[in-house]
Amino acid sequence: MAAEWSVLLLTCQRGGCVAAFQRELEARRRRGGLGPRPPPLLLAVEDPWARLGSGGATLNALLVAAEHLSARAGCTVVTADVLRDARILILHTGRDFSFDDCGRAFTCLPVEEPDAPAEALVCNLDSLLGTMTHRLCVGSPPGVWVCSTDMLLTMPSSPGINWDGFQGVRVIAVPGSQAYARDHGVYLTDEQGLVHDIIYRGTEAQIQQCAGPDSTVPLVCGVVFFSSDAAEQLLATHVVPPLDACTYMGLDSGAPPIQLSLFFDIVLCMAEGMMKEDFVKGGSDASVRSARSVLWTALHAFPLSMACIPDASYDYMTTSASDYIRSLTLLPGSASHLHFCKTAHSHVDQPHLLEDGSSVTNCLLEGAVQLAAGSVIQHCHLQGPLEIGPGCLLSGLAAGSSPALQGCPLHDIVLQGHHVRLRDLPCQVYTLTGRLDNWQSPAEEATYLNVPWAEFFHRTGIREGDLWDAEMPQRSRCLLSARLFPVLHACEVLGLEDVLWLLAPAAVAGERLARWRAAWRMSWQELLPCLDKAAELGARQALFFLQGQRKVRRVLLGRQDSSLLPLARSAVHEGYHEAVLGTLDEVASTAGDAGIAARALACIAEVLGCMAQGEGGLRSGPAANREWASAFRRLESGDIAGGVRELAAERQKWMSRPALLVRAARHYEGAEQILVRQAVMSSCQFVTVGRAELPPLGHWVQVVCPARLDLSGGWSDTPPITYEHGGAVVDLAVLVDGCRPIGARVRRISEPELRLVSLSGTPQSEAVAELVCQELQDLQDYCQPHAPGALLKAAFICTQVVQFPSQKPLQAQLIESFGGGFEVHTWSKLPHGSGLGTSSILAGAVMASLYRAAGKFASTESLIHAVLHLEQRLTTGRAEELVRQAALGRAKRRRAGEQRRGVCPGLEARCNLPLIGKCLDCYWQQKKCMAPGCEPLAVGRMMDALRPYVYGQCLAGAGGGGFLYVLTKIPRQKEALHQILAKTEGLGNFSIHSIEVDTGGFSVEGVGHDTKDSAGSGGFMAV
């Protein structure tokens, strides 16, 4: 369950980042990060003034939301009526952040989400969106939620907020310690949960007054909810001076700027214990006092309640480097929906060099990069050997900075690379600070690089006059205003070494001082307005896909059980598909392994399918266009590298529109199947055939086999699923209506020819196909599965009863080796497409009987591998069809008119039948997830009608099958179920069959000369 937003707004400071943040919101919509029903309106809203405050930003965002909703409703003016049923979420990005150029909202967390539809970095913004959408706001009435993004917020899955009869405004609190509350805000409430006051950085006595029975206090966590009525009243103030200055309309109208706090200027006016005179007087200046008076009149009548969420946690992201490092290296609370990991979205050549308690996010670490516990690396491409000690934060460093870092002692420092734009000039600037440094403390009381400023000046030769203007007061001289960081040099290119020298001992520092003084330097305070957030977000994305390409190589070459589809989707969404396709081409052509190359080609097909974006038709379809034939021939000949190159060249001609992309994807799946077939055909090396007594001429060797029911795991044993997740299928051998329904018999005959007879279907639709092969050319279509007798021809070749191709004629081969030819009969008492494993089981029956009739013997294990080999020789036989459909990630559903429906009741088992039934129902749901649309309407009606009488039910076969098998609650219910289904509308023809477990498996026996004794001569039962 999730909240469904009408509008989602992300506010940002004035300064040119609104377009970049809008792109970030749209990217989350594309990759499914906003849920199955994303908000119709996604808006990044720029504050009209530089220092507007959270209250002004809220009012401006509410106005923008109302204006867009009014336009959608066809109104010509802004109307508050559109807020009546709207669900609006406003997220404030807040102030600049020392440790992330894009602010606290876009601070990346060490998190991977393997179940996400598209792979992406997880930011604090994503965490808060998940918390608000799927936890905190579920069940709330229409209204406006406002949430800060300057904290890490953890909520239990069921917050337990009671919304019955809710009116007014509600603030959300989390329990915290009284010690933590000394630097934060707390709510003072009465027994009914109504807020009396908001206390910020209160005295010990004030904080104690807010404590509950467990001594914790309700912390202000930056989240508040306005009911529709309250939101309408707040919106109405945007036309009243001086509050009109909070909005873009006020800016456009020339109103003077005003700064308001959400909690202390808007929310506080509704507190029970607040008096109007005291509230208004609390304004910082005349305009704020006037604004407070307007807000009191508009909002004070609304009740202000608090919901304190047990087991929730709140961690404000301070400007302390120690706090920031701690927040990224400690696991979040048990109530969190996130799971922190040591390495997230990163490629690390030597992961054993990363100590527990360290954190690496969105990085490419090549060579020996050692990272101590308590250190964090983000958005870096580093090349070893490097040794990074404890207490460090490294961010935004490119590969070119590695030489400067090698041999440099790093511990307890913060080293960051920044994208800066000086008017139209982009450049890279590096900043270096100590973990213990305070940005705003006066220099005479503070440290730089964890040592007193005086000690730093003495060691480096830098003077106060190098950093601060002479007229700057001593109390204003701090790290924030110190011009420490080189930006440009008249003659030389600056790099990381131009700040790292600040760590060097005095002997080395003297050599760099003159160069440092000659450079144009800026303070962090001066750099902040110049930070290029769009460039920074772009660089992070480029690095993410660079390490993603390494992941592709790692997963494929290492045969890892990991899906690459989420990464493929993300690459397509963000325009990095060509880079990923190039990497897949490289892996396929250089791996030297048909299985790895096949998986790489399957991944290319997925990328092409993603590029079609659901258009262009079905993924299943033909793959034999002549334009691709040359590449296919190369693959067939074993020239994988050449084939991959030709495939890539041909692919470029099919990229212009969805229909061509889908067709190209089909051909890549076809190419994959060539390599899969070659890999599977290697199974013949595991076939060991011994000599046995040659049966007399005319004596039949007969093999009869049970059918099979799949109880779990269908499709999991086929590529690419088995590549990525492993696979295991649970099957049950069964008799259908008391007999083994599949069989074959073979005998030697005196004529040097092959007589092939196939019986299939039921007595009502029995089909008999007879074929005689007297020349080798009669066998040449053995690899075309729809050719007459293809399976039987392939069996003769795979068992090496017949050598094909060969210079020796067929008749000469037969006479020389066997003194004559063979006659083969096959049968199946099951309808085509039953889902009971007919084709593969029949292949096993044919090969087992043929081996024995030819005087050979093969063990069961050898027979299994021989069948795998045979099915691949059929080129597109049943096994390959299964593989191909699995590669698509969907099964092909037969047309309802071609599908017989049977019900298989009374499965006998000495176990927990209700539990087995539950497993069958679960398995059917899994199949429907695998193959959307595989449940025809008539089957759904049948299942609904039978549900009260069965423990569980499922369609047979990995692709949905033609038989519905059910586990009845009462034995021997065939007639009863027939009556139930006969009364159900819309089923058409159906038949019911009984099944029982076959514990014997297939049987091989001699049946003499009389053909009428064979199971293949008749005795079909109605199905």
Side-chain angles (χ1 to χ4, degrees):
M1 191 173 180
E4 294 186 8
W5 304 112
S6 308
V7 191
L8 191 156
L9 303 101
L10 180 67
T11 70
C12 53
Q13 293 186 45
R14 188 173 180 84
C17 61
V18 63
F21 286 1
Q22 182 69 43
R23 287 193 295 272
E24 288 296 309
L25 291 178
E26 296 294 343
R28 282 156 176 77
R29 188 212 299 269
R30 289 193 301 272
R31 63 177 180 244
L34 300 180
R37 296 183 179 178
L41 286 171
L42 290 177
L43 302 171
V45 180
E46 186 177 57
D47 294 345
W49 308 105
R51 298 179 62 83
L52 186 62
S54 58
T58 298
L59 183 57
N60 183 62
L62 182 59
L63 171 61
V64 172
E67 185 174 8
H68 279 78
L69 289 172
S70 298
R72 284 200 163 211
C75 303
T76 56
V77 295
V78 176
T79 171
D81 294 343
V82 295
L83 301 181
R84 179 60 45 190
D85 297 317
R87 299 175 187 270
I88 299 172
L89 175 60
I90 299 173
L91 295 157
H92 293 311
T93 58
R95 291 166 289 185
D96 294 311
F97 188 42
S98 307
F99 310 114
D100 196 294
D101 291 357
C102 298
R104 294 172 172 88
F106 291 98
T107 293
C108 287
L109 305 179
V111 172
E112 290 187 352
E113 297 180 308
D115 296 330
E119 189 169 328
L121 297 173
V122 178
C123 301
N124 189 35
L125 173 67
D126 302 299
S127 174
L128 290 170
L129 277 171
T131 296
M132 299 295 288
T133 302
H134 299 287
R135 298 193 173 200
L136 189 56
C137 306
V138 174
S140 66
V144 179
W145 282 91
V146 184
C147 179
S148 170
T149 62
D150 60 6
M151 74 292 190
L152 298 175
L153 186 64
T154 295
M155 287 285 164
S157 57
S158 299
I161 303 175
N162 183 5
W163 294 102
D164 294 342
F166 173 77
Q167 293 180 330
V169 176
R170 175 166 286 167
V171 291
I172 304 299
V174 300
S177 68
Q178 295 183 39
Y180 189 82
R182 294 186 191 123
D183 292 321
H184 299 277
V186 293
Y187 294 111
L188 177 64
T189 63
D190 62 15
E191 295 179 355
Q192 286 73 42
L194 295 177
V195 177
H196 273 236
D197 198 0
I198 304 174
I199 299 171
Y200 180 65
R201 290 185 174 179
T203 64
E204 186 174 341
Q206 289 176 315
I207 295 173
Q208 177 64 38
Q209 189 180 5
C210 301
D214 60 355
S215 296
T216 63
V217 293
L219 297 172
V220 177
C221 70
V223 181
V224 60
F225 174 72
F226 293 84
S227 67
S228 296
D229 290 336
E232 288 182 26
Q233 288 299 313
L234 178 60
L235 176 64
T237 66
H238 86 274
V239 296
V240 181
L243 288 170
D244 60 339
C246 293
T247 69
Y248 80 92
M249 287 187 175
L251 173 67
D252 292 347
S253 301
I258 185 174
Q259 182 177 3
L260 291 180
S261 163
L262 171 61
F263 286 90
F264 293 104
D265 291 321
I266 296 179
V267 173
L268 186 61
C269 75
M270 293 172 276
E272 285 281 315
M274 188 60 57
M275 303 300 295
K276 180 177 181 179
E277 183 177 358
D278 294 335
F279 174 70
V280 173
K281 284 182 178 178
S284 57
D285 56 37
S287 62
V288 174
R289 289 191 287 273
S290 177
R292 284 190 165 202
S293 179
V294 174
L295 290 167
W296 180 279
T297 302
L299 300 175
H300 182 68
F302 289 103
L304 177 63
S305 60
M306 180 196 74
C308 189
I309 312 301
D311 299 322
S313 67
Y314 160 83
D315 190 3
Y316 179 74
M317 300 172 72
T318 71
T319 57
S320 163
S322 296
D323 289 347
Y324 182 68
I325 292 172
R326 174 190 53 79
S327 69
L328 296 180
T329 52
L330 293 180
L331 294 178
S334 59
S336 176
H337 61 287
L338 300 174
H339 301 283
F340 281 15
C341 49
K342 181 164 65 174
T343 304
H345 301 294
S346 298
H347 174 82
V348 181
D349 278 351
Q350 300 184 36
H352 64 279
L353 295 179
L354 308 182
E355 294 184 9
D356 291 340
S358 61
S359 176
V360 177
T361 302
N362 194 35
C363 289
L364 184 56
L365 305 184
E366 300 174 310
V369 178
Q370 186 169 338
L371 185 64
S375 285
V376 174
I377 306 180
Q378 292 188 318
H379 318 300
C380 289
H381 182 179
L382 300 178
Q383 297 169 335
L386 294 176
E387 184 174 346
I388 301 164
C392 291
L393 168 64
L394 273 63
S395 177
L397 304 181
S401 61
S402 296
L405 288 170
Q406 292 170 1
C408 183
L410 299 178
H411 55 84
D412 293 323
I413 60 98
V414 177
L415 181 58
Q416 297 172 277
H418 309 273
H419 291 271
V420 171
R421 181 170 289 274
L422 305 172
R423 296 192 177 178
D424 294 328
L425 177 65
C427 58
Q428 186 86 5
V429 176
Y430 298 97
T431 58
L432 177 68
T433 57
R435 178 177 64 85
L436 304 177
D437 296 344
N438 186 298
W439 285 98
Q440 294 181 313
S441 294
E444 56 193 17
E445 304 170 3
T447 64
Y448 178 56
L449 297 178
N450 307 310
V451 299
W453 279 96
E455 182 178 332
F456 169 75
F457 290 147
H458 176 73
R459 177 173 55 82
T460 61
I462 294 175
R463 299 185 296 267
E464 284 194 50
D466 294 323
L467 304 180
W468 300 287
D469 294 335
E471 60 270 17
M472 178 175 286
Q474 285 292 330
R475 300 296 296 177
S476 298
R477 298 184 180 188
C478 60
L479 176 56
L480 186 65
S481 59
R483 296 192 180 99
L484 277 163
F485 311 117
V487 177
L488 294 173
H489 193 283
C491 306
E492 302 182 56
V493 176
L494 299 176
L496 186 59
E497 61 275 8
D498 291 292
V499 293
L500 284 177
W501 79 272
L502 299 174
L503 291 169
V508 178
E511 302 172 6
R512 308 291 304 190
L513 179 59
R515 175 183 167 98
W516 177 85
R517 280 186 172 142
W520 177 37
R521 304 180 311 280
M522 298 176 71
S523 67
W524 180 240
Q525 190 172 45
E526 293 168 330
L527 282 170
L528 278 173
C530 303
L531 295 177
D532 191 339
K533 294 179 173 62
E536 176 61 28
L537 290 168
R540 293 180 185 182
Q541 185 181 81
L543 183 57
F544 171 80
F545 284 108
L546 184 61
Q547 68 81 28
Q549 291 171 256
R550 297 296 182 94
K551 176 182 178 179
V552 169
R553 297 188 185 95
R554 184 173 69 248
V555 168
L556 295 180
L557 296 175
R559 304 178 188 271
Q560 295 180 7
D561 296 339
S562 177
S563 175
L564 294 174
L565 182 57
L567 180 62
R569 291 194 183 108
S570 185
V572 170
H573 294 326
E574 305 303 330
Y576 281 83
H577 51 274
E578 288 291 352
V580 172
L581 287 172
T583 300
L584 291 168
D585 287 335
E586 177 194 345
V587 171
S589 61
T590 61
D593 181 279
I596 293 175
R599 186 180 178 188
L601 296 182
C603 291
I604 292 176
E606 291 291 2
V607 174
L608 297 174
C610 292
M611 291 174 64
Q613 298 182 347
E615 300 180 3
L618 296 173
R619 286 282 299 278
S620 56
N625 188 289
R626 295 182 203 172
E627 302 298 323
W628 300 83
S630 176
F632 282 16
R633 285 193 295 270
R634 282 188 176 271
L635 296 178
E636 292 279 11
S637 69
D639 182 7
I640 295 178
V644 170
R645 284 194 300 271
E646 288 201 21
L647 287 171
E650 185 62 31
R651 182 179 72 216
Q652 295 302 317
K653 307 172 186 176
W654 298 66
M655 306 278 276
S656 59
R657 63 181 189 273
L660 292 179
L661 286 165
V662 168
R663 290 167 63 192
R666 293 172 185 167
H667 283 80
Y668 264 94
E669 285 155 2
E672 172 217 0
Q673 290 313 307
I674 294 173
L675 299 183
V676 168
R677 185 167 65 253
Q678 291 177 351
V680 175
M681 282 178 67
S682 65
S683 62
C684 63
Q685 65 184 292
F686 303 105
V687 178
T688 302
V689 178
R691 301 301 303 177
E693 183 180 353
L694 191 67
L697 200 68
H699 279 245
W700 289 99
V701 176
Q702 178 171 291
V703 175
V704 289
C705 302
R708 70 103 173 94
L709 286 179
D710 59 306
L711 301 182
S712 183
W715 288 122
S716 70
D717 60 339
T718 52
I721 299 170
T722 187
Y723 288 145
E724 297 171 355
H725 304 290
V729 182
V730 179
D731 286 334
L732 187 68
V734 295
L735 305 178
V736 179
D737 292 334
C739 73
R740 292 173 177 156
I742 303 166
R745 55 194 175 97
V746 181
R747 68 174 178 179
R748 290 193 299 121
I749 57 177
S750 58
E751 296 83 354
E753 62 187 20
L754 306 179
R755 296 177 188 171
L756 314 179
V757 181
S758 300
L759 293 85
S760 61
T762 67
Q764 292 78 13
S765 59
E766 183 174 301
V768 179
E770 298 186 18
L771 184 67
V772 177
C773 300
Q774 297 178 327
E775 306 290 343
L776 280 178
Q777 65 182 17
D778 296 333
L779 302 179
Q780 64 184 4
D781 59 355
Y782 79 94
C783 60
Q784 300 176 21
H786 299 296
L791 186 147
L792 303 184
K793 296 174 183 178
F796 276 101
I797 295 171
C798 291
T799 57
Q800 296 186 340
V801 171
V802 173
Q803 300 298 321
F804 182 91
S806 174
Q807 298 297 319
K808 186 177 294 186
L810 175 61
Q811 293 185 359
Q813 291 187 42
L814 294 174
I815 292 174
E816 180 179 314
S817 299
F818 305 103
F822 291 87
E823 182 175 352
V824 182
H825 289 202
T826 62
W827 62 89
S828 170
K829 298 179 181 180
L830 302 173
H832 179 68
S834 66
L836 301 183
T838 304
S839 58
S840 296
I841 295 172
L842 184 59
V846 171
M847 298 197 76
S849 59
L850 190 53
Y851 274 133
R852 186 63 60 88
K856 301 181 179 183
F857 171 78
S859 66
T860 301
E861 184 177 354
S862 290
L863 184 60
I864 291 171
H865 285 97
V867 171
L868 281 173
H869 181 240
L870 178 144
E871 290 176 322
Q872 295 308 311
R873 293 293 292 267
L874 277 171
T875 306
T876 53
R878 176 59 179 163
E880 181 165 312
E881 179 71 6
L882 297 179
V883 173
R884 185 186 64 78
Q885 292 180 15
L888 292 176
R890 53 186 67 78
K892 187 193 299 180
R893 179 169 63 89
R894 298 175 182 85
R895 290 180 294 170
E898 298 174 345
Q899 180 172 314
R900 285 182 176 267
R901 293 178 294 275
V903 184
C904 308
L907 179 63
E908 300 291 344
R910 292 180 180 177
C911 51
N912 189 329
L913 295 182
L915 184 57
I916 289 180
K918 185 177 180 181
C919 290
L920 296 182
D921 286 339
C922 179
Y923 183 34
W924 177 235
Q925 296 305 316
Q926 291 170 350
K927 286 187 178 182
K928 290 199 291 184
C929 289
M930 182 70 182
C934 71
E935 182 181 282
L937 182 60
V939 171
R941 290 172 178 167
M942 184 181 291
M943 288 180 143
D944 290 341
L946 295 176
R947 191 162 285 114
Y949 309 98
V950 302
Y951 287 125
Q953 52 191 328
C954 184
L955 280 180
F963 271 80
L964 170 69
Y965 62 93
V966 306
L967 180 58
T968 58
K969 295 179 179 178
I970 302 174
R972 293 175 289 279
Q973 291 291 290
K974 184 174 181 177
E975 294 303 323
L977 296 186
H978 194 284
Q979 293 178 14
I980 293 168
L981 294 179
K983 298 176 183 178
T984 304
E985 296 181 358
L987 296 189
N989 296 327
F990 65 88
S991 57
I992 299 181
H993 309 263
S994 62
I995 63 171
E996 57 186 286
V997 177
D998 182 6
T999 59
F1002 72 89
S1003 64
V1004 181
E1005 57 183 340
V1007 296
H1009 289 78
D1010 188 0
T1011 60
K1012 293 183 179 179
D1013 291 340
S1014 82
S1017 61
F1020 280 89
M1021 298 183 65
V1023 291

